[in-house]
């Protein structure tokens, strides 16, 4: 009897939780976007309770073969874009974390430069165009607002300011060992703790750091030797 009552209580709580989620407009919005993607897509929009959709729409992205339209969804922690798939749903192209991205007006010499945005991240960097100059301003403002909120959220949780990543184009040498980067033998990586561009040898440590992706707090992130020595070495040695 006691086990039966416990089982009934668990089922009742589960039903209440399911009902609450169905009645949550934000949950319904995320689910509606999730179901637009092809079955088996490696995208989970429900893995962070605080996620919300900020903006969506078509932008023209510059590809190797030339400009091509993509559909973009802007969330408060990520930017996702896709193309129509062969089975009717969207095919996911990229899932970009806003926390580790630099987004600004693109420096392009063309008549439609005022509509162009430059998006740089560790996953992908590209130029895209909004349909109008006004929409370009709105996309940029929403992205910057979301990034500011993410940084504030991080600072509140950790007591330290969130890092601003050094753009790839601005880094010519490792911030730790000063060796010059190249495309083959010394590639660029970003320290998730301070945002500096470093080489692989100077960023071999991994620590739990929520800033890189708030939906996956338990993932270990890459940090440079300097940050590890300052903030985590004593824990590795058992001093804290």
């Amino acid at each position: 009897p006691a086990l039966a009552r416990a089982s009934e209580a668990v089922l009742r709580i589960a039903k209440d939780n399911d009902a609450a989620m169905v009645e949550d407009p934000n949950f319904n919005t995320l689910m509606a976007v999730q179901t637009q993607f092809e079955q088996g897509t490696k995208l989970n929009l429900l893995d962070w309770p605080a996620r919300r959709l900020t903006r969506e729409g078509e932008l023209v992205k510059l590809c190797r073969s030339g400009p091509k339209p993509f559909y973009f969804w802007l969330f408060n922690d990520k930017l996702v874009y896709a193309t129509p798939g062969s089975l009717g749903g969207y095919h996911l192209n990229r899932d970009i974390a806003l926390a580790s991205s630099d987004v600004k007006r693109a420096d392009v010499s063309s008549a439609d430069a005022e509509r162009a945005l430059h998006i740089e991240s560790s996953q992908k960097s590209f130029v895209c165009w909004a349909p109008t100059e006004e929409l370009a301003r709105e996309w940029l403002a929403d992205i910057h607002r979301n990034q500011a909120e993410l940084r504030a959220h991080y600072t509140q949780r950790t007591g330290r300011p969130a890092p601003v990543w050094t753009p790839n184009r601005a880094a010519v040498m490792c911030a730790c060992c000063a060796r010059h980067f190249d495309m083959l033998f010394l590639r660029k990586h970003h320290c998730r703790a301070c945002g500096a561009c470093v080489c692989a040898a100077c960023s071999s440590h991994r620590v739990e750091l929520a800033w890189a992706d708030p939906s996956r707090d338990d993932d270990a992130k890459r940090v440079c030797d300097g940050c590890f020595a300052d903030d985590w070495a004593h824990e590795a040695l058992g001093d804290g």
Side-chain angles (χ1 to χ4, degrees), residues 48 50-54 74-78 98-99 140-158 160-163 210-211 214:
W48 188 41
R51 180 172 294 122
R52 67 180 188 275
L53 179 66
T54 303
L74 174 63
F75 301 91
N76 57 331
D77 66 322
K78 63 174 62 188
L98 288 183
L140 189 61
D142 284 345
I143 291 172
H144 286 172
R145 185 181 304 111
N146 290 350
Q147 289 177 318
E149 290 177 358
L150 282 172
R151 293 190 175 99
H153 171 76
Y154 174 84
T155 302
Q156 183 179 15
R157 291 187 56 189
T158 65
R160 59 187 295 173
W211 169 241

Side-chain angles (χ1 to χ4, degrees), residues 42-58:
K42 293 182 179 179
L43 175 70
N44 184 4
L45 297 176
L46 306 176
D47 59 356
W48 188 41
R51 180 172 294 122
R52 67 180 188 275
L53 179 66
T54 303
R55 174 177 294 273
E56 63 178 293
E58 186 176 280

Side-chain angles (χ1 to χ4, degrees), residues 183-201:
M183 294 295 293
L184 296 177
F185 303 107
L186 199 68
R187 303 189 65 181
K188 299 175 182 179
H189 300 275
H190 279 90
C191 171
R192 264 60 172 181
C194 69
C197 238
V198 294
C199 68

Side-chain angles (χ1 to χ4, degrees), residues 116-139:
L117 301 175
H118 182 251
I119 299 173
E120 185 173 16
S121 73
S122 57
Q123 295 106 313
K124 187 76 173 180
S125 296
F126 56 90
V127 173
C128 60
W129 287 265
T132 66
E133 182 180 345
E134 181 179 0
L135 282 174
R137 287 197 300 267
E138 292 176 359
W139 273 95

Side-chain angles (χ1 to χ4, degrees), residues 18-223:
D18 289 342
M21 286 191 294
V22 170
E23 293 174 359
D24 181 5
N26 186 59
F27 175 85
N28 292 335
T29 298
L30 296 177
M31 180 61 76
V33 176
Q34 182 77 55
T35 55
Q36 293 182 57
F37 286 87
E38 295 173 328
Q39 188 173 5
T41 298
K42 293 182 179 179
L43 175 70
N44 184 4
L45 297 176
L46 306 176
D47 59 356
W48 188 41
R51 180 172 294 122
R52 67 180 188 275
L53 179 66
T54 303
R55 174 177 294 273
E56 63 178 293
E58 186 176 280
L59 302 175
V60 175
K61 176 179 170 291
L62 183 61
C63 304
R64 293 181 181 178
S65 58
K68 181 180 177 181
F70 288 79
Y71 201 82
F72 283 72
W73 292 265
L74 174 63
F75 301 91
N76 57 331
D77 66 322
K78 63 174 62 188
L79 180 66
V80 174
Y81 65 92
T83 50
S86 58
L87 300 178
Y90 278 103
H91 171 74
L92 176 66
N93 290 93
R94 292 286 175 177
D95 176 1
I96 298 174
L98 288 183
S100 55
S101 302
D102 180 27
V103 184
K104 60 184 180 182
R105 286 295 184 91
D107 184 14
V108 294
S109 56
S110 62
D112 52 7
E114 295 300 322
R115 299 191 288 111
L117 301 175
H118 182 251
I119 299 173
E120 185 173 16
S121 73
S122 57
Q123 295 106 313
K124 187 76 173 180
S125 296
F126 56 90
V127 173
C128 60
W129 287 265
T132 66
E133 182 180 345
E134 181 179 0
L135 282 174
R137 287 197 300 267
E138 292 176 359
W139 273 95
L140 189 61
D142 284 345
I143 291 172
H144 286 172
R145 185 181 304 111
N146 290 350
Q147 289 177 318
E149 290 177 358
L150 282 172
R151 293 190 175 99
H153 171 76
Y154 174 84
T155 302
Q156 183 179 15
R157 291 187 56 189
T158 65
R160 59 187 295 173
V164 177
W165 279 28
T166 301
N168 282 326
R169 64 183 181 279
V172 296
M173 65 179 68
C174 173
C176 291
C177 67
R179 288 188 296 165
H180 283 261
F181 293 118
D182 60 59
M183 294 295 293
L184 296 177
F185 303 107
L186 199 68
R187 303 189 65 181
K188 299 175 182 179
H189 300 275
H190 279 90
C191 171
R192 264 60 172 181
C194 69
C197 238
V198 294
C199 68
C202 292
S203 56
S204 60
H205 300 288
R206 300 292 188 278
V207 300
E208 292 185 2
L209 187 66
W211 169 241
D213 188 345
S215 68
R216 297 156 61 185
D217 290 341
D218 58 343
D219 284 2
K221 308 298 191 296
R222 178 190 297 270
V223 296

